Amino acid sequence: MKFGGTSVADQPAIERLIALVRAERQAEAQKEGGDARGPVVVVSALSGVTDRLLGLAALAASGDVEGARASLQDLRARHVKVSEVIRDAALREPVLDSLNRAFDELERVVSALAVLQEVSGRWMDALAATGEILSSQIVAAALTSHKLLATYVDARKAVVTDAEHMAAAPLFEETTAALMAHADPPLAVGRIPVLGGFVGATAGGITTTLGRGGSDYSAAIVGACLGAAEIQIWTDVDGMLTADPRIVKNPQVVPHLSFAEASELAYFGAKVLHPSTIQPAVSRNIPVRILNSHRAQARGTLITGERPKADRPLTAVASKKGVTVVNITSTRMLMAHGFLRRLFEVFERFKTSVDVVTTSEVTVSVTIDDARRLPAIVEGLSGFAQVDREDHMAIVCVVGDGLHEDAALAAQVLASVGDVPMRMLSQAASRRNITFVIRESDLPTALGRIHDKFLAAVSAA
Ligand code: ADP
Ligand code: ASP
Ligand code: MG
């Protein structure tokens, strides 16, 4: 059971979490032949804390030590307050001690960063990981004080990753062994292991993080490595919705998704699921459920290998803002073999991943969502191509089996977007999705039109 930031935001949220874990345990105990072990609980930092911790790094590095200290004081007070959810003083005291030690340490880090005036990925990870390390200690003690015996498991010991700071990849064999050593023993004696998501460490013990939103990924890794029956993602919406609720009014819950559809939607911006979440679930064929911790009675979204045929042709539309389009033009491309290899090698060299690609005779257009290294990439490409960039763009990805089954549907979807100018357009060979790029400012219009026409009405029935 993974609980996101808003599901551990404050004392009432953690009390809801406790009720959900209790209900899960009771349901499991009542199942005939049910394995009464578990669940394993994975938690995010309290909502907003990761942003604040990363903001601290920026404040400190810009020399605003006072600002950074004030922010730390707020954070400390908030964690102390939330710890009141641990009813039993004997359980609360050690958590408060640990919390205060962590904040003392952060104060020292802030002072050091102000001197260095530069923050490496390694420092960023040390700062950012604190959010989950603290929330998991609070939740473990809170469960125990509510008579659900839990064991805090340090994610830095249980999830082993490579050394790619801020976007570390888990090493599955090592992580399985570590989880067997740290999370399995409490499970075996009927306790509930609680660990922070998002966080791991290299084999040498250096703290890493899995990238923003990475707690979902942690939950899937833990579920796959321990052979869970199900991976539950508890969040603040009723499930995977037909569109981003921050952009489209009244999106509907999608009751059932295939792994492939969920991956596609997550990859192209459905924030409710980290893009890597599905991959560990696929490897062990473990169902994933997205559920609302504020409304446990809602059915949520079930994600499995196959799904029953849906009653409408499109499943959902995902979108991603803050994208940069890079147009690479070279007259030498014409019929030159090896051109694409040379081109993508430059992106590889500067560790920038490319999402959507389209080509014409002399131009290759790609999208990237991390444009920090673009000046160096442009320089690298300058020997054989001209490059221009368009910022503030957005990717729209429409997913549905109907695109495969009905040859006319893709054209109808594109027509529904009307006069919104499209920069790039691509349809994969699987034909279960179409992806296109528009200006960020056109996103509400384009999504609204697609949603009204293909996704809104049917499920109201
Ligand atoms: P958590 O902290 O629980 O991980 P997130 O904020 O990371 O929660 O993800 C949940 C949010 O994802 C929702 O509140 C919603 O605004 C956003 N979201 C974007 N697209 C979708 C979608 N297609 N379905 C559901 N939620 C979406
Ligand atoms: N707390 C981390 C973040 O905000 C990870 C997560 O919540 O999934 O990115
Ligand atoms: Mg999230």
Side-chain angles (χ1 to χ4, degrees), residues 120-304:
S120 65
R122 184 171 164 170
W123 278 112
M124 287 289 226
D125 277 350
L127 278 167
T130 313
E132 269 74 6
I133 290 166
L134 295 179
S135 65
S136 53
Q137 292 181 34
I138 294 170
V139 167
L143 282 164
T144 303
S145 78
H146 285 73
K147 309 256 175 317
L148 287 162
L149 300 189
T151 300
Y152 164 65
V153 175
D154 188 339
R156 292 165 297 186
K157 299 210 167 83
V159 177
V160 187
T161 73
D162 64 15
E164 192 63 49
H165 284 288
M166 303 176 77
L171 306 174
F172 279 87
E173 254 173 58
E174 289 84 343
T175 300
T176 303
L179 283 164
M180 289 317 277
H182 296 283
D184 197 59
L187 274 176
V189 296
R191 295 184 73 103
I192 300 166
V194 179
L195 63 156
F198 179 56
V199 174
T202 62
I206 310 293
T207 303
T208 54
T209 65
L210 308 181
R212 295 308 305 271
S215 292
D216 302 331
Y217 190 20
S218 300
I221 294 161
V222 171
C225 290
L226 291 173
E230 181 170 289
I231 297 162
Q232 298 178 351
I233 306 291
W234 290 88
T235 183
D236 60 354
V237 283
D238 282 355
M240 178 67 80
L241 303 172
T242 46
D244 189 331
R246 296 165 299 181
I247 304 176
V248 166
K249 262 188 260 141
N250 298 322
Q252 313 289 314
V253 179
V254 183
H256 206 146
L257 282 172
S258 67
F259 284 143
E261 287 173 317
S263 294
E264 198 91 46
L265 292 167
Y267 185 72
F268 286 113
K271 185 186 174 228
V272 69
L273 216 52
H274 181 276
S276 304
T277 312
I278 296 300
Q279 176 200 311
V282 171
S283 71
R284 302 281 304 257
N285 196 23
I286 302 173
V288 177
R289 234 180 247 282
I290 306 176
L291 295 153
N292 191 342
S293 70
H294 304 256
R295 282 185 2 104
Q297 71 280 15
R299 281 177 41 235
T301 297
L302 175 63
I303 309 170
T304 53

Side-chain angles (χ1 to χ4, degrees), residues 2 4-5 44-46 48-51 128 132 197-198 211-216:
K2 176 265 174 175
S44 288
L46 314 190
V49 167
T50 311
D51 285 338
E132 269 74 6
F198 179 56
R212 295 308 305 271
S215 292
D216 302 331

